[in-house]
Amino acid sequence: METAPGVRLPAIAVAVALALPGPARAEPTVTPQTMAGTRSTVQAAAKAELDAGDAKTAAERLETAARQLGDPVLFLDAADAQYAAAESERTTGPLDRADELVRIALDILYFLQGPMASDTWRPVDSFEIPTLVARANDFLQRSQALRAEIEAEAAAPPEDEEPKKRAGPKILIGVGAGLTALGVAGLGVGVAGLALGAVQQNKADDPTVYGAAYDEVERKGKVGNALAYAGLAAGAVLGAVGIALIVVGKKRAGRQREQAARLRIVPTGTGLSIAGRF
């Protein structure tokens, strides 16, 4: 498990400490129901702050509670609040924080599915975990797309200055379409890896498969998992960046059409003149 010093490890350490039994320690049982009650109080306060336009304060409130409780849902909520701050400020700093919070949530969700998980600490129901994992992965894709859009805006010269070298809409859209195609291809590789892994898993569960045959099944299963992780990760990133470039390209094309629509050629007694707003 990849951790950043002083950032991700504490959240997982809390999860492990709460899950491991100890004869000298009587920890209260954490169930999805008890956590939901505590969580809703924090979410209500954060929602009021978000509605008031204070996304940063809401994000801090949600993250503080998430770290205290080790709750993956609150980590994802905190990431959503940071995303709202990035949209409002048009800066990528909040997205850096949001991505880290989402990865902490994923670590906890994977921990809850592992052998060290315990029923004495279960902040979410098992059937909720796939949905939460999907929510986390979807967030990382949206974050990547917003990051590309903000960075493209920052790289563009001010409108009142003559741009020196600025990629035209067609170039942006073309590059974006190419990256999106590569992203789709990567996702296809990832799906194929998932299918291969599932096939090998079924073989591994067959009691008649053992010895050298089992080793071969295990090897192929690892190959399938590697393809799945690499393909899905690369496909998601390439697709998100490609879509962001297409969006920026279309926006630029729209501005060019709007500027062209403001100009008109007017016949005069001495020839033609160009009229319009500049």
Side-chain angles (χ1 to χ4, degrees):
M1 178 186 304
E2 178 183 302
T3 60
V7 179
R8 298 174 63 186
L9 183 58
I12 305 306
V14 168
V16 173
L18 289 171
L20 292 178
R25 178 175 56 83
E27 292 286 351
T29 298
V30 175
T31 66
Q33 292 72 32
T34 59
M35 183 63 78
T38 305
R39 180 190 304 136
S40 63
T41 301
V42 180
Q43 289 172 326
K47 183 179 184 304
E49 291 162 344
L50 284 169
D51 291 342
D54 193 355
K56 297 292 288 185
T57 300
E60 291 171 2
R61 177 188 297 278
L62 291 163
E63 180 179 348
T64 298
R67 291 186 179 279
Q68 291 174 346
L69 300 171
D71 180 21
V73 177
L74 287 179
F75 274 110
L76 294 176
D77 290 343
D80 284 336
Q82 291 285 9
Y83 184 97
E87 276 193 312
S88 174
E89 298 172 3
R90 309 308 291 177
T91 58
T92 58
L95 292 178
D96 295 335
R97 192 65 185 158
D99 290 350
E100 185 62 34
L101 294 171
V102 169
R103 292 188 178 96
I104 293 174
L106 284 171
D107 284 344
I108 296 175
L109 292 169
Y110 291 142
F111 167 81
L112 291 172
Q113 299 177 88
M116 295 181 67
S118 169
D119 287 337
T120 61
W121 187 80
R122 188 160 293 280
V124 295
D125 280 311
S126 297
F127 68 83
E128 294 180 279
I129 293 178
T131 301
L132 292 172
V133 169
R135 174 185 170 186
N137 288 327
D138 175 72
F139 178 91
L140 292 175
Q141 294 182 38
R142 291 190 294 110
S143 173
Q144 188 69 26
L146 179 59
R147 183 186 302 276
E149 183 178 334
I150 292 173
E151 290 175 349
E153 292 173 357
E159 292 185 359
D160 58 349
E161 294 182 6
E162 183 68 23
K164 296 180 180 179
K165 290 184 179 179
R166 184 178 184 182
K170 291 183 178 179
I171 295 177
L172 288 175
I173 294 173
V175 173
L179 290 177
T180 302
L182 289 175
V184 172
L187 292 176
V189 171
V191 172
L194 289 175
L196 177 60
V199 170
Q200 299 308 314
Q201 182 62 51
N202 290 335
K203 291 182 179 179
D205 293 338
D206 188 345
T208 63
V209 177
Y210 57 89
Y214 183 85
D215 293 340
E216 179 64 14
V217 168
E218 184 179 26
R219 184 189 68 79
K220 291 182 179 179
K222 289 181 179 179
V223 171
N225 289 338
L227 289 174
Y229 293 141
L232 293 176
V237 172
L238 290 172
V241 174
I243 291 172
L245 290 177
I246 291 174
V247 170
V248 173
K250 289 185 175 180
K251 285 183 179 179
R252 289 188 183 177
R255 285 197 294 268
Q256 288 183 356
R257 287 194 298 269
E258 181 181 355
Q259 184 178 9
R262 293 174 180 174
L263 305 178
R264 64 182 185 275
I265 298 176
V266 179
T268 65
T270 58
L272 300 175
S273 66
I274 299 177
R277 291 180 294 133
F278 296 87

